[in-house]
Amino acid sequence: MSDIRRLDPAEAQARIGELCDVLADCVTGGASVGFMAPYGPADAAPFWQGVIAAVAEQATLLFVAERDGRIVGTVQVGIRQMPNQPHRADVKKLLVLESERGRGLARALMTAAEAEAAQYGKTVLVLDTATGSPAETVYERLGWQRAGVIPDYALYPDGRYCATTFFYKRIGAAA
């Protein structure tokens, strides 16, 4: 059984090592999530320090999935937007340890993220993911709508070009 919950800045800082392990596992596994190989847990610390600062500034919500008291997955919701986009939020970095995939953690994390975003008055969520990745299927199953694909948008950790698919979902009052 897994537990899905939101972390505050203090707990995120206290558990940064676990967060780093999840990110490093995903990058090492080939996920195009912004980082290049080789990539280890120590490389992930600056990224998570930035996330923790955004959580402290109430610009980002950070959710984790735990199994047996250990963080095995995470997702973020960027809730601070420009003045003309108060209704929108960005879903960022849905990450699940490779050893934990296929157990419904991505669905559970996304469900929590969507519900909390709605509590903040968000009615449109957006995200992007590597085209052809298993994540595309996850988002489609969760009711996300494909908006389009941009070729050569980013790189995989090994340096190959990666197309990106953008998705959106209406939630709350707009659903």
Side-chain angles (χ1 to χ4, degrees), residues 9-90:
E11 188 173 7
Q13 186 65 54
R15 301 187 70 188
I16 194 168
E18 294 170 77
L19 294 166
C20 289
D21 289 343
V22 172
L23 179 55
D25 179 76
C26 292
V27 174
T28 299
S32 177
V33 291
F35 306 99
M36 303 302 290
Y39 195 84
D43 299 313
F47 168 77
W48 285 113
Q49 290 294 351
V51 171
I52 292 166
V55 171
E57 295 168 2
Q58 299 180 345
T60 296
L61 309 176
L62 174 61
F63 298 87
V64 295
E66 296 173 303
R67 185 176 310 282
D68 299 324
R70 179 175 154 244
I71 295 174
V72 296
T74 182
V75 70
Q76 302 162 51
V77 180
I79 57 171
R80 185 181 295 158
Q81 300 294 334
M82 297 299 292
N84 70 338
Q85 302 167 25
H87 60 290
R88 186 176 74 74
D90 296 318

Side-chain angles (χ1 to χ4, degrees), residues 8 13 35-36 52 56 66 69-70 82 84 87 89 102 106 116 120 128 138 141 144-145 149-150 155-156:
D8 64 28
Q13 186 65 54
F35 306 99
M36 303 302 290
I52 292 166
E66 296 173 303
R70 179 175 154 244
M82 297 299 292
N84 70 338
H87 60 290
E116 189 83 8
Y120 278 80
D128 69 278
V138 169
R141 285 185 192 146
W144 287 73
Q145 303 297 309
V149 175
I150 299 176
L155 299 174
Y156 285 107

Side-chain angles (χ1 to χ4, degrees), residues 71-165:
I71 295 174
V72 296
T74 182
V75 70
Q76 302 162 51
V77 180
I79 57 171
R80 185 181 295 158
Q81 300 294 334
M82 297 299 292
N84 70 338
Q85 302 167 25
H87 60 290
R88 186 176 74 74
D90 296 318
V91 174
K92 304 182 270 188
K93 304 274 187 284
L94 175 62
L95 306 167
V96 175
L97 286 173
E98 192 169 2
S99 63
E100 296 290 327
R101 293 180 190 158
R103 299 181 185 191
L105 294 177
R107 174 182 292 278
L109 283 163
M110 291 298 288
T111 298
E114 291 172 19
E116 189 83 8
Q119 292 295 313
Y120 278 80
K122 304 306 179 179
T123 57
V124 176
L125 301 179
V126 297
L127 63 81
D128 69 278
T129 192
T131 304
S133 71
E136 276 191 300
T137 304
V138 169
Y139 298 130
E140 289 170 341
R141 285 185 192 146
L142 295 177
W144 287 73
Q145 303 297 309
R146 181 184 305 261
V149 175
I150 299 176
D152 300 339
Y153 185 80
L155 299 174
Y156 285 107
D158 64 8
R160 292 177 294 128
Y161 283 103
C162 175
T164 293
T165 303

